[in-house]
Amino acid sequence: MNKVFGAILSPFVRKVLLTLEHKGAEYVNEPVRPFKNPESFAKLSPLRKIPAFSDEYLTVADSSVICDYLESKYPHNPLYPKNPVERAKVLWLEEFADTRLQETFGPCFFFELLVAPVMYKRKPDSALVERGRAAMPLLQDYLEGELTGSRFAVGGALSIADLSLPSVFLNGRYAGHEVDARRWPKLAAYLHGMYTHPLYANRIEREREAVAVLKPRQ
């Protein structure tokens, strides 16, 4: 049985779950917090980061490594293009989402505006939130230039880039960040198309209860 260890609202965990769901592979999710996880978790993930993954063959961590493994284990419904140029673009956009984009959305928006008030009972760090808001235009400018206006990030089919970029933006949306369609029309249309795709629509529905826990009380 495929086991995914981590919190479902993590964009990295979400990427793995979306991959499994796209492949039609059965799995179980074992909830593990991204912070202050138990010492025993180090046996699954030596860096103590989520997600970790195990099946009958191996135990491994890091979402990109896990998804690459799942692509080989379940080669149907491929997420990595065979064309070397498209494959390189897909892998780069995945890396961009996992690093620079998440480094802004994660700590500046999702953690400060949703997690900190509920889980740590403190007010958001307004300076950190503003730093994130100041960084977003350049990141979105870059993606606006990279996208072609088609439904998918690269080429004519769903790829691992499409399970990475929208996943990070989704946490931003949960925290109240919306992409201005007047300034970034291709990016806004792309994200809308992804969130209405059955794969994302189903995952967003599954996350509804967890998101409700973090939403500030009105």
Side-chain angles (χ1 to χ4, degrees):
M1 172 61 72
N2 299 308
K3 290 186 178 180
V4 181
F5 301 85
I8 64 171
L9 294 185
S10 159
F12 304 117
V13 174
R14 184 185 294 120
K15 179 170 67 170
V16 173
L17 299 182
L18 287 168
T19 297
L20 285 161
E21 289 161 8
H22 178 65
K23 301 286 187 179
E26 294 185 358
Y27 68 88
V28 294
N29 172 229
E30 299 285 348
V32 176
R33 287 187 175 187
F35 313 105
K36 298 182 179 179
N37 44 52
E39 289 290 336
S40 59
F41 185 59
K43 294 180 180 180
L44 300 172
S45 176
L47 299 180
R48 303 282 293 275
K49 294 181 178 180
I50 59 173
F53 173 89
S54 71
D55 63 8
E56 63 270 37
Y57 304 111
L58 89 167
T59 298
V60 69
D62 185 88
S63 65
S64 296
V65 174
I66 296 167
C67 291
D68 182 70
Y69 169 69
L70 292 173
E71 178 79 356
S72 297
K73 185 178 181 181
Y74 304 106
H76 56 282
N77 297 336
L79 288 167
Y80 298 79
K82 291 183 179 180
N83 179 286
V85 174
E86 290 187 350
R87 183 181 178 88
K89 289 181 178 180
V90 159
L91 293 175
W92 161 243
L93 289 175
E94 179 191 18
E95 176 68 11
F96 182 78
D98 288 354
T99 54
R100 189 66 183 92
L101 201 60
Q102 171 58 15
E103 287 164 6
T104 300
F105 271 120
C108 298
F109 295 152
F110 188 77
F111 184 84
E112 283 301 319
L113 295 174
L114 294 182
V115 177
V118 174
M119 305 300 294
Y120 294 89
K121 309 300 181 186
R122 68 167 176 80
K123 293 182 178 181
D125 182 334
S126 58
L128 189 56
V129 173
E130 287 306 312
R131 190 173 75 188
R133 287 175 177 158
M136 284 313 302
L138 282 178
L139 301 179
Q140 294 178 175
D141 284 346
Y142 172 73
L143 291 173
E144 181 73 12
E146 289 296 301
L147 296 172
T148 63
S150 67
R151 183 171 190 183
F152 304 107
V154 177
L158 192 77
S159 73
I160 196 66
D162 300 310
L163 306 190
S164 305
L165 290 169
S167 182
V168 176
F169 271 99
L170 183 57
N171 277 23
R173 190 171 80 159
Y174 286 154
H177 176 78
E178 295 289 346
V179 174
D180 187 344
R182 294 168 297 179
R183 179 168 175 180
W184 299 283
K186 287 189 292 185
L187 179 58
Y190 166 70
L191 293 174
H192 176 75
M194 282 293 101
Y195 297 148
T196 55
H197 187 287
L199 192 65
Y200 267 100
N202 177 64
R203 179 110 302 274
I204 290 169
E205 181 60 32
R206 292 187 181 193
E207 294 177 2
R208 190 179 302 277
E209 186 174 332
V211 173
V213 172
L214 295 177
K215 286 291 186 180
R217 302 296 187 270
Q218 300 298 323

